[in-house]
Amino acid sequence: MQQRFHTLVLGAGAAGLFCGARAAGRGLSVCVLDHSAKPAEKVRISGGGRCNFTNVDTKAANFHSENPHFAKSALARYTPWDFCDLMAKHGLSWQEKTLGQLFCDQRSTAVIQLLLDELDSAGGELRLSTEVSGVQHRDGRFVVETSAGEIEADNLIVATGGLSIPKIGASGFAYELARQFGHEVIPPRPALVPLTFTGAAKDNFAELSGVSCPIDAQARRGPEFHEAMLFTHRGLSGPAILQASSYWRETESVGIDLAPGWSVRDELKTAKADTPKINLSTWLARHYPARLADYMLTWPGMPADKQLANLSGADMEAADQALKHWSIKPAGTEGWRTAEVTAGGIDTNGLSSQTMESKHVKGLYFIGECVDVTGWLGGYNFQWAWASAAAAASAIDADRAA
Ligand code: FDA
């Protein structure tokens, strides 16, 4: 078995397979290695089985990082349309669902097959079920100790992802390796993850489990997200909440506008003139699912359930405040078990934004989710995987050949 390669890629997920295929396509000898028995498990479970493989509106502003400019270079050089071309080359089709999100018409396993075919046809090798126990850097080469013996490589690409969903192979390997080679790691935290609550809030939300409605959600450090919210047995989920969760920190509140894009005060004034005899509860039930409307009536600050004709200006102002400025204080998140991605990760200060190469060790690259670049929900994280992989693959020094 060949134990020496020009380039060894650790991690056969979205970023690792794509990087391996593109590097092998340059004529370099490449091996992609993974400890799991199956490659790209996250691609398989992504997008509800239809892989939301990119977002046509991708720009650096859709990502968070300690350095918001870091992703710009790679994203500009490998665009969503580049991956669409690759999909078309493999006979795959897609459709835009909402907010620029492109989903595969075929099962997400077809995207995995695309990645495997690209690697194979370029002459790259894939080794699964192979544990990595250590990495050394000797005489400018990387020596990787694995369950199948030592493998030597002139270039090492680390694409082992983040900590989310440990049961399908996630590990903190990339962070440990980065620290070993002198890199800083921004503390990883679960992102795109449901928010959990305790006490009365938890009980109330559990009662509403399954109810959803459009909202604007905003954590203190992030932008406002206009999408749906879903009540669950443990707390709050749905796209708007997942997006806000990526910016949320413990002890902080999340602001929710339950009347996104419309004025409660103006609507109530109009309703008071048009239908003065209906009660506030009826008005609420016309705008919200019945169970949610009932719950809203119990909120402190919400005016009592009286006929609209009897609502004062102050009552309408109070309803407006309550619905447009609902502030919730999560106790935590559902954690790594359900988080779609890991925020934080390898500090971009130690990496070249052009090539993803380490500034400390020549020939060492970090790509994909292990880097401190985290996309919003909606195909951005795969676009980062493709773009960072492409940046590294085209930058590998062919002259450091095996
Ligand atoms: P990824 O995690 O995909 O791959 C890392 C690989 O490294 C794995 O194969 C793992 O087994 C391997 N590995 C880990 N530790 C190792 C070790 N010590 N030794 C050897 N191998 C090791 N994004 C998006 O854009 N659109 C979407 O639709 C979705 N949907 C989605 C659903 C769900 C349920 C999840 C959990 C996530 C998503 N995502 C997503 C996020 C997306 O899946 C994620 O950002 C990318 O898969 C990251 O790609 P990477 O290749 O960087 O890591």
Side-chain angles (χ1 to χ4, degrees):
M1 190 155 65
Q2 186 182 342
Q3 296 294 76
R4 177 141 169 60
F5 295 88
H6 178 275
T7 296
L8 180 64
V9 182
L10 300 181
L17 286 174
F18 192 53
C19 186
R22 290 184 65 101
R26 290 181 52 205
L28 310 175
S29 80
V30 173
C31 176
V32 182
L33 183 152
D34 203 294
H35 64 174
S36 295
K38 292 183 185 162
E41 274 291 88
K42 281 193 188 159
V43 175
R44 185 178 62 76
I45 61 173
S46 66
R50 296 276 176 196
C51 189
N52 175 198
F53 62 91
T54 191
N55 191 300
V56 287
D57 298 326
T58 300
K59 45 198 176 320
N62 305 118
F63 296 81
H64 48 101
S65 167
E66 293 284 304
N67 176 358
H69 303 291
F70 182 81
K72 284 182 182 168
S73 171
L75 292 173
R77 284 176 297 133
Y78 192 85
T79 69
W81 303 114
D82 292 321
F83 201 81
C84 288
D85 287 346
L86 185 62
M87 295 272 290
K89 182 183 136 195
H90 285 257
L92 302 184
S93 53
W94 60 87
Q95 51 184 291
E96 182 177 336
K97 286 218 171 145
T98 172
L99 302 171
Q101 302 169 6
L102 300 192
F103 284 75
C104 188
D105 286 332
Q106 294 74 23
R107 304 294 306 167
S108 51
T109 46
V111 178
I112 301 178
Q113 198 54 52
L114 172 159
L115 296 169
L116 295 175
D117 289 347
E118 282 287 302
L119 178 67
D120 188 55
S121 63
E125 194 178 318
L126 174 63
R127 291 187 191 170
L128 298 171
S129 304
T130 309
E131 296 292 336
V132 178
S133 50
V135 175
Q136 291 172 48
H137 192 225
R138 282 191 223 133
D139 306 325
R141 276 203 213 108
F142 298 92
V143 180
V144 179
E145 293 146 27
T146 78
S147 49
E150 278 189 358
I151 302 178
E152 275 190 46
D154 299 284
N155 297 281
L156 187 68
I157 316 268
V158 184
T160 52
L163 291 169
S164 49
I165 326 269
K167 79 168 184 223
I168 54 167
S171 80
F173 177 85
Y175 311 135
E176 288 155 33
L177 195 75
R179 287 193 191 98
Q180 177 188 333
F181 287 108
H183 286 265
E184 298 288 325
V185 175
I186 310 294
R189 49 178 210 286
L192 297 181
V193 63
L195 298 172
T196 56
F197 293 79
T198 50
K202 181 182 177 213
D203 297 341
N204 290 327
F205 296 169
E207 287 282 316
L208 293 168
S209 180
V211 169
S212 84
C213 63
I215 61 160
D216 281 341
Q218 188 169 28
R220 192 158 68 79
R221 295 150 206 267
E224 195 170 66
F225 291 100
H226 177 60
E227 288 189 69
M229 170 176 75
L230 172 72
F231 289 88
T232 74
H233 282 289
R234 291 189 202 86
L236 296 176
S237 186
I241 295 295
L242 298 182
Q243 300 277 33
S245 77
S246 296
Y247 294 90
W248 177 77
R249 300 290 200 286
E250 264 176 49
T251 75
E252 291 180 359
S253 301
V254 176
I256 292 182
D257 179 354
L258 285 145
W262 56 281
S263 160
V264 172
R265 205 184 306 103
D266 291 351
E267 286 281 321
L268 273 173
K269 266 190 204 155
T270 308
K272 183 176 171 176
D274 295 348
T275 53
K277 293 219 159 75
I278 70 164
N279 272 27
L280 180 62
S281 55
T282 309
W283 181 85
L284 282 171
R286 284 181 182 174
H287 289 82
Y288 300 97
R291 277 190 287 159
L292 179 55
D294 286 346
Y295 172 52
M296 287 166 163
L297 267 184
T298 69
W299 289 359
M302 186 64 100
D305 184 19
K306 40 185 163 177
Q307 280 195 337
L308 297 192
N310 298 325
L311 282 187
S312 65
D315 287 336
M316 288 190 261
E317 190 57 43
D320 190 87
Q321 272 296 318
L323 295 175
K324 291 197 76 73
H325 302 280
W326 191 38
S327 177
I328 50 157
K329 202 168 217 183
T333 73
E334 287 192 5
W336 299 117
R337 190 179 59 80
T338 59
E340 262 191 35
V341 283
T342 302
I346 295 156
D347 189 348
T348 57
N349 273 329
L351 304 176
S352 155
S353 62
Q354 305 286 312
T355 65
M356 311 302 294
E357 189 175 20
S358 162
K359 289 180 182 168
H360 308 308
V361 183
K362 190 149 179 50
L364 177 65
Y365 299 77
F366 294 93
I367 60 172
E369 195 176 314
C370 65
V371 177
D372 173 34
V373 173
T374 309
W376 291 359
L377 188 76
Y380 300 104
N381 285 296
F382 280 137
Q383 188 56 35
W384 171 245
W386 318 136
S388 58
S394 58
I396 298 165
D397 184 354
D399 292 337
R400 285 165 61 85

